[in-house]
Amino acid sequence: MHNPLPFQSAVMPEALQLNSPLQFHCHPGISCFNACCKRADITLAPYDVLRLKRRLGLTSTEFIRQFTVPFQMDGDGLPGIKLKTDDNGTCLQLAGDAGCGVYSDRPTVCRYYPLALLTLREKDSAIAEERYSLVKEDHCQGHNEQRELSIAEYRAEQHCDEFDAKNRDWYQLVLKKKSAGPAVGRPPQLSLQFFFMASYDGDTFRRFVLSDNFRNTYTLPAEFYTEIEQDDEALLEFSYRFLRQVLFGERTIQEMADAWEQRVTERQEVWEARRQIEIERRAAAEDEKYRADGNDDCGCAG
């Protein structure tokens, strides 16, 4: 079984299901209210970024720069991001005693607490299933509250379904990457850069997809470009198709006829142009050197 993302510490080993009971209640009157926000270690999924950047009125690029820190999700350098905290570990979105300042748009990890969402796949199985583990930390008093409900009821209460639906294909990508291991190998640096852009920096990814170079490479209808120019969710869904092609070579997006050959030809032309520039630069440098040597000789003879 595999857990593709690093979650909170203190995760109990038992894998729970939707009908498993959960004794927990967090509310403003509890003694530990906001304590978890002051010890924040929040990994962000793509839909989390989309919701938060819109909530804060930022581009995805601005949000990433101002409110996240990078980390590596695996030994191959697969890039992840976490919510930035202050020097004491407090989430920057905490609005004092009032609690979370972006509550209705809070990330998936925050919604699930005190549960960890696990994407699991048994060995030799092509089907990944979602399970849950209980997170128990000393500061959290919510476990002592006398309220019991099922995990399914808790998920509905926290509006997890929408976030899971938007992130699910991405979790599957990360799980497949981790499960494949040496069979896939370390992705090239360019693939890792594409992964970061398509997963988190949607506004930059949109410009990439709308570029002439992209349009000339892939056969996609005009209405597709109209949709993703205006619809963040449609763009996010397409990003998962794009990443399956980038990471695993799946032909999820049809390429133009001879697109590969054309790209090779264009690159060869660029390489040749660069080679000629370098030859001319070196020739000019040699000419300058000889002129300088000649000037020195004349000066010495005088």
Side-chain angles (χ1 to χ4, degrees), residues 95-290:
D97 294 337
C100 178
V102 293
Y103 187 76
S104 61
D105 296 293
R106 67 197 184 281
T108 307
V109 170
C110 303
R111 290 172 185 274
Y112 266 101
Y113 191 83
L115 295 170
L117 171 63
L118 310 174
T119 304
L120 308 173
R121 182 164 60 194
E122 299 292 343
K123 184 178 180 181
D124 299 327
S125 173
I127 301 174
E129 298 182 357
E130 293 176 354
R131 292 289 184 269
Y132 313 89
S133 285
L134 187 64
V135 177
K136 277 202 161 186
E137 298 180 295
D138 293 339
H139 66 265
C140 181
Q141 300 303 309
H143 299 283
N144 300 323
E145 295 286 298
Q146 297 304 306
R147 184 183 75 141
E148 185 174 292
L149 67 173
S150 70
I151 289 178
E153 290 170 330
Y154 186 73
R155 289 182 69 259
E157 178 183 274
Q158 301 299 315
H159 303 287
C160 294
D161 280 340
E162 178 182 358
F163 281 70
D164 286 350
K166 300 294 186 182
N167 287 321
R168 186 167 285 117
D169 286 348
W170 185 78
Y171 290 137
Q172 299 282 353
L173 278 168
V174 176
L175 177 62
K176 182 174 181 178
K177 164 65 182 64
K178 183 174 181 179
S179 301
V184 171
R186 181 183 178 89
Q189 188 61 35
L190 182 60
S191 295
L192 297 177
Q193 292 170 354
F194 275 133
F195 180 87
F196 184 93
M197 176 179 65
S199 296
Y200 313 118
D201 195 354
D203 292 305
T204 298
F205 183 60
R206 174 179 281 117
R207 291 194 296 273
F208 168 73
V209 174
L210 294 176
S211 69
D212 289 340
N213 186 52
F214 189 93
R215 292 172 188 259
N216 293 334
T217 302
Y218 298 101
T219 58
L220 292 163
E223 53 267 27
F224 161 79
Y225 292 103
T226 301
E227 182 181 30
I228 64 138
E229 190 169 10
Q230 303 169 353
D231 190 329
D232 286 339
E233 280 80 358
L235 178 67
L236 187 63
E237 183 177 341
F238 176 73
S239 74
Y240 303 149
R241 287 177 59 194
F242 177 76
L243 287 176
R244 286 199 296 274
Q245 189 149 319
V246 167
L247 292 177
F248 309 116
E250 298 178 16
R251 293 300 177 185
T252 58
I253 312 168
Q254 184 64 41
E255 292 189 350
M256 294 281 194
D258 301 324
W260 171 253
E261 290 78 6
Q262 182 178 346
R263 286 203 301 274
V264 170
T265 300
E266 290 172 351
R267 288 173 183 170
Q268 286 176 337
E269 291 173 354
V270 170
W271 295 333
E272 180 61 24
R274 289 177 178 171
R275 190 177 73 86
Q276 290 298 328
I277 290 172
E278 180 62 17
I279 291 172
E280 293 171 6
R281 186 193 67 78
R282 292 185 180 181
E286 287 295 317
D287 289 346
E288 184 63 28
K289 176 183 176 183
Y290 288 135

Side-chain angles (χ1 to χ4, degrees), residues 286-298:
E286 287 295 317
D287 289 346
E288 184 63 28
K289 176 183 176 183
Y290 288 135
R291 281 197 295 269
D293 289 345
N295 289 337
D296 287 345
D297 290 342
C298 291

Side-chain angles (χ1 to χ4, degrees), residues 21-65:
L22 172 67
Q23 180 179 319
F24 184 79
H25 191 205
C26 180
H27 54 91
I30 198 168
S31 62
C32 63
F33 190 59
N34 295 335
C36 53
C37 303
K38 296 176 181 177
R39 308 181 185 198
D41 182 17
I42 308 301
T43 296
L44 297 176
Y47 189 61
D48 300 336
V49 176
L50 189 158
R51 289 287 292 263
L52 287 170
K53 68 105 175 180
R54 285 202 303 220
R55 173 63 175 261
L56 298 171
L58 301 171
T59 66
S60 55
T61 308
E62 291 168 338
F63 171 76
I64 291 167
R65 184 182 302 120

